[in-house]
Amino acid sequence: MRVRLEKLRKRLAEYQVDVMLVSKPENIRYLSGFTGSSGVLIVGPRETFLLTDFCYAEQARGEAPQCNICVKRNSDSDEFIAVLRDIGSRTVGFESHFVTVKDHDELAKKISGITLKPLAQVVERLRAVKEEEEVACITKAARLGDAAFSHILPFIKPGVTEKELALELEFFMIKNGAEKVGFDIIVAFGARSSMPHARTSDEKLYPGEFIKMDFGAVYKGYHADMTRTVILGRTTKRQREIYRLVCEAQELALSKISAGQVGKEADEIARFCIRKAGYDENFGHNLGHGLGLEIHEIPVLGPRSEDLLEAGMTFTVEPGIYIPGFGGVRVEDSVVLKKDGVKVLTGSTKELLEL
């Protein structure tokens, strides 16, 4: 934690900021270790203060021993001001992408002689390049996803519902060590699989249909994400062609993505493959997104992304083709970027399974 805080302090000096208010829970956890839902971190030039309420005071002392713990007695802004004045703050940075206009305005009214400076995604950019321990947690989360995929296959039978499969996936991952699932699990059958983020329903499964499953475990706060698409019964020629094309696009991207590219360059590797086959209009989302304490982080691998890809970043690679009335295929892996290319953390087969 101390190394992370020192990196942040160096960034703050570049922005000519004395102190930073950190309000976003994932950023508080990253910088202090505190996992409670009520807290604000004040990062000063030499000391760090964690403001929380009585319900989390004991937890904060245990999880964030390097912080000065302040238990709130009055409003948040009153506590902010007392600490800020004690440490002689003049320019205070705040997370402008997270703090509401209302909270900003209320704090600004009570401050005299202190300037509030908006800083967007400063901590998130520190979080983008992962430490070895963070990659280990994401790897463990990916393995839980792999185990869940193997577990769910025998449950895929005629008449099962999307919700039943989603619940079984969730139960299995939590029972086997996941802190929780990373997002609402997506299970979509048949023509409904053409919706990239279909809402899981009571729809029943029939032979010949695609089964698209997008799910992920959280381990010690860190997310993994995977999608696999399988078939109940025998595949048709068109189903096999679409599936093959998605896999080819993904494999090409996995082999060509490298440190030093920007997000749009990585995205174009897979998108060119799909465009060349005539399905450009059927691949309407980004190729991937960062993974970590949040399910969507920096970097973005998309057509407009200028995010620089660096060794140590973790993200998804997930091309897809979605055809209304026919169905959709997505194949998604969690990966970590190394100096010599991509290392895939998801281990589940990408063979088109006929169940």
Side-chain angles (χ1 to χ4, degrees):
M1 299 298 173
R2 295 186 186 279
V3 173
R4 296 174 182 178
L5 286 166
E6 288 309 310
K7 286 182 179 179
L8 177 60
R9 288 186 173 105
K10 288 180 181 178
R11 293 285 180 92
L12 297 183
E14 294 171 6
Y15 287 109
Q16 297 182 321
V17 167
D18 304 320
V19 174
M20 183 166 184
L21 300 180
V22 181
S23 307
K24 189 175 180 179
E26 293 84 2
N27 291 342
I28 294 172
R29 180 171 185 167
Y30 180 76
L31 294 168
S32 71
F34 178 62
T35 63
S37 60
S38 174
V40 175
L41 202 65
I42 300 178
V43 181
R46 289 172 296 278
E47 293 184 280
T48 306
F49 299 82
L50 176 59
L51 278 64
T52 188
D53 62 38
F54 174 82
C55 296
Y56 294 98
E58 184 177 353
Q59 179 182 343
R61 293 186 185 101
E63 291 182 336
Q66 76 284 359
C67 295
N68 298 297
I69 307 301
C70 303
V71 181
K72 294 184 290 187
R73 304 296 181 189
N74 302 306
S75 70
D76 286 354
S77 58
D78 289 343
E79 297 290 345
F80 290 161
I81 294 166
V83 174
L84 293 176
R85 295 207 184 282
D86 284 346
I87 60 179
S89 307
R90 294 183 178 180
T91 304
V92 176
F94 68 95
E95 296 181 300
S96 56
H97 59 295
F98 186 79
V99 173
T100 67
V101 172
K102 177 177 179 291
D103 288 343
H104 170 271
D105 290 349
E106 287 181 354
L107 181 59
K109 286 178 183 177
K110 296 182 178 182
I111 290 177
S112 60
I114 297 177
T115 301
L116 289 175
K117 185 171 183 177
L119 298 177
Q121 295 191 312
V122 173
V123 181
E124 283 86 347
R125 295 199 176 278
L126 290 177
R127 285 168 41 199
V129 176
K130 303 299 189 285
E131 300 162 1
E132 288 184 8
E133 294 81 1
E134 294 178 286
V135 175
C137 289
I138 296 168
T139 301
K140 176 64 175 178
R143 288 174 180 166
L144 285 167
D146 288 332
F149 179 66
S150 296
H151 172 78
I152 203 66
L153 295 178
F155 291 83
I156 299 176
K157 298 177 180 179
V160 72
T161 68
E162 294 173 349
K163 282 185 179 178
E164 287 170 341
L165 292 185
L167 286 169
E168 186 62 34
L169 285 166
E170 179 172 357
F171 177 74
F172 178 88
M173 287 188 286
I174 293 174
K175 182 180 178 182
N176 285 277
E179 179 181 318
K180 59 181 179 179
V181 293
F183 50 91
D184 290 340
I185 292 172
I186 299 169
V187 178
F189 298 158
R192 284 175 39 78
S193 62
S194 69
M195 294 184 283
H197 283 179
R199 182 183 295 274
T200 299
S201 73
D202 292 314
E203 191 76 17
K204 292 183 178 181
L205 179 62
Y206 295 94
E209 291 187 324
F210 279 131
I211 304 102
K212 185 184 70 190
M213 298 174 287
D214 185 344
F215 56 97
V218 177
Y219 182 76
K220 293 186 177 179
Y222 286 87
H223 296 70
D225 194 359
M226 67 178 289
T227 304
R228 289 295 184 267
T229 307
V230 301
I231 293 279
L232 180 63
R234 300 299 298 272
T235 58
T236 66
K237 180 180 179 181
R238 192 182 187 199
Q239 286 173 330
R240 291 193 297 272
E241 288 177 348
I242 297 298
Y243 191 89
R244 174 187 54 77
L245 179 56
V246 171
C247 285
E248 286 179 355
Q250 197 213 32
E251 286 303 316
L252 185 63
L254 291 173
S255 69
K256 298 291 186 182
I257 292 174
S258 62
Q261 293 174 341
V262 294
K264 65 183 181 182
E265 292 172 329
D267 177 272
E268 179 59 20
I269 297 169
R271 197 168 301 278
F272 175 79
C273 185
I274 291 173
R275 183 189 306 119
K276 185 172 64 174
Y279 289 100
D280 189 36
E281 296 300 317
N282 304 99
F283 177 28
H285 59 70
N286 294 334
L287 177 64
H289 56 83
L291 291 168
L293 290 172
E294 296 177 89
I295 189 61
H296 291 99
E297 294 193 353
I298 297 168
V300 173
L301 282 68
R304 294 176 296 278
S305 174
E306 298 289 347
D307 291 343
L308 179 66
L309 303 186
E310 301 178 61
M313 287 182 165
T314 49
F315 48 85
T316 65
V317 178
E318 49 178 302
I321 293 176
Y322 312 92
I323 304 171
F326 171 75
V329 172
R330 180 163 65 250
V331 177
E332 175 185 17
D333 291 330
S334 297
V335 309
V336 58
L337 186 58
K338 300 286 191 177
K339 291 181 180 178
D340 58 350
V342 165
K343 178 182 178 182
V344 178
L345 303 179
T346 307
S348 297
T349 182
K350 286 178 262 192
E351 176 187 353
L352 179 53
L353 300 179
E354 297 176 321
L355 303 174

